[in-house]
Amino acid sequence: MLTAKKHRLYLFTLKANGTGKVLIAQDAIKNGRLSVRQTKNEQLKTGYQQILKGNPAAFTSNASSQQSTSSAAKPKPVFPSNFIGTWYGWSYGKQYTVIITENSIAFDDKPLPVHWQNEHTKADKQLLMSNSDISNEISESPHACWQSAMLSTAPGANVPMISLRGWFQTAGAGEFYWVESRDLNGTQQPVLAMASGAQEIVDTNFYQTPQLADQYKDTIFSDEPTTSNYSEFTLK
C-alpha cells in the first residue's frame, strides 16, 4: 500500500492501440483515490517501449546508474585518508558508527555517495535552478541520495573541514566534519568532530574504538565551537 512520499508505485499501462506509458504515484491514497502522473525516469520509459516492441530491456541498478551518470572515470576522492575508516560515538543516549570512504559516508550501515559540489551535471543544475516544486523530479533522479561536498578550514583549528549538504539542497547549512589529534589517555589519537548549523557547532565527537567512545561519551572539547563560545570563534 502506498502510504507516504518515500514509497513509489510505478504503473505500466497499455492502450488497445499498443501504446504504453509508465506512470508513477508517490502520494498517499486520499479519499480512496490514487494520484498518478507520467514518470520522468527516461530509463524506465525507454525500457518499457523496448519491451512493447518485443525487445529485451536492460535496466541497471540505482547504484550503478549513479556511478555511470557521474562520469566515465572514477570520481574524485572527497575525504582525505585520515577521515577514512569506522568511527564510534554517542548521540541521543546510544552508541553508533560512522563509516567513511573516499566517496561515501554511512550512518548505521546506510552509505550515502559523496561528490564535490562542482560535479553537478547539467540536469542537476536545471533542477537546482527551478523555481517550481521539484520534489517529485528530485526523488526520481539517480543522484537523489548524493551528498554535495565543499572544502574549508575547521573553526579554531588549522585542519581541513568537509561540509556536506544534500545534492539538491538549496537552503540550510548542512553538516561539517574534521579530524584533530587529541590527547586521549596520554597518547595522541585522531578524533572526528561532527558539527552542524550556520555556526558550525560541534554536536558529537567520534573515536576509532568503541572503548574510547564509551570513555569520552558526550565529551565536547574546550577548544571546539559550542553555543556558549561561538562569538570567540567568529571574532578570530
Side-chain angles (χ1 to χ4, degrees):
M1 178 180 292
L2 195 67
T3 57
K5 275 188 174 291
K6 66 179 180 179
H7 297 124
R8 301 177 196 169
L9 174 65
Y10 288 101
L11 305 173
F12 295 83
T13 65
L14 180 63
K15 292 184 178 181
N17 62 6
T19 61
K21 290 184 179 181
V22 182
L23 307 178
I24 182 174
Q26 287 183 277
D27 297 317
I29 297 174
K30 296 180 181 179
N31 299 323
R33 302 186 67 178
L34 183 65
S35 177
V36 299
R37 61 182 175 81
Q38 189 168 1
T39 182
K40 294 183 180 294
N41 188 318
E42 295 299 329
Q43 185 187 32
L44 279 179
K45 291 194 290 186
T46 301
Y48 187 43
Q49 294 305 315
Q50 290 299 315
I51 291 174
L52 293 178
K53 293 176 182 178
N55 301 322
F59 293 102
T60 59
S61 68
N62 190 43
S64 62
S65 64
Q66 289 173 356
Q67 179 94 13
S68 62
T69 53
S70 61
S71 65
K74 182 180 178 181
K76 184 179 179 181
V78 172
F79 289 106
S81 59
N82 63 327
F83 283 68
I84 295 173
T86 301
W87 301 85
Y88 304 85
W90 277 81
S91 184
Y92 297 104
K94 71 172 185 177
Q95 186 184 108
Y96 67 102
T97 60
V98 175
I99 302 174
I100 298 177
T101 70
E102 286 185 343
N103 288 98
S104 74
I105 186 166
F107 297 90
D108 296 329
D109 300 324
K110 297 176 181 178
L112 299 173
V114 179
H115 297 266
W116 291 111
Q117 186 183 51
N118 61 9
E119 294 181 42
H120 281 90
T121 65
K122 182 178 179 180
D124 294 335
K125 293 176 182 177
Q126 289 175 339
L127 285 175
L128 283 166
M129 294 173 63
S130 174
N131 293 322
S132 59
D133 182 5
I134 56 173
S135 57
N136 288 328
E137 286 80 358
I138 287 176
S139 68
E140 288 194 72
S141 168
H143 303 163
C145 66
W146 282 19
Q147 297 291 291
S148 173
M150 293 184 63
L151 177 65
S152 57
T153 302
N158 188 27
V159 295
M161 179 176 74
I162 303 294
S163 62
L164 299 183
R165 302 174 73 195
W167 194 248
F168 296 104
Q169 184 178 340
T170 57
E175 294 183 335
F176 307 87
Y177 300 86
W178 66 88
V179 176
E180 285 193 72
S181 180
R182 300 282 184 186
D183 185 343
L184 304 179
N185 301 326
T187 62
Q188 292 295 310
Q189 303 210 36
V191 176
L192 173 72
M194 182 178 76
S196 62
Q199 299 176 349
E200 299 168 4
I201 300 301
V202 173
D203 301 309
T204 309
N205 282 301
F206 295 87
Y207 307 86
Q208 291 187 317
T209 68
Q211 293 76 22
L212 283 173
D214 286 341
Q215 181 179 351
Y216 289 90
K217 175 181 177 182
D218 300 327
T219 297
I220 302 297
F221 297 96
S222 59
D223 61 347
E224 292 180 323
T226 63
T227 303
S228 60
N229 67 8
Y230 171 64
S231 59
E232 174 187 343
F233 284 91
T234 58
L235 292 174
K236 287 184 178 180

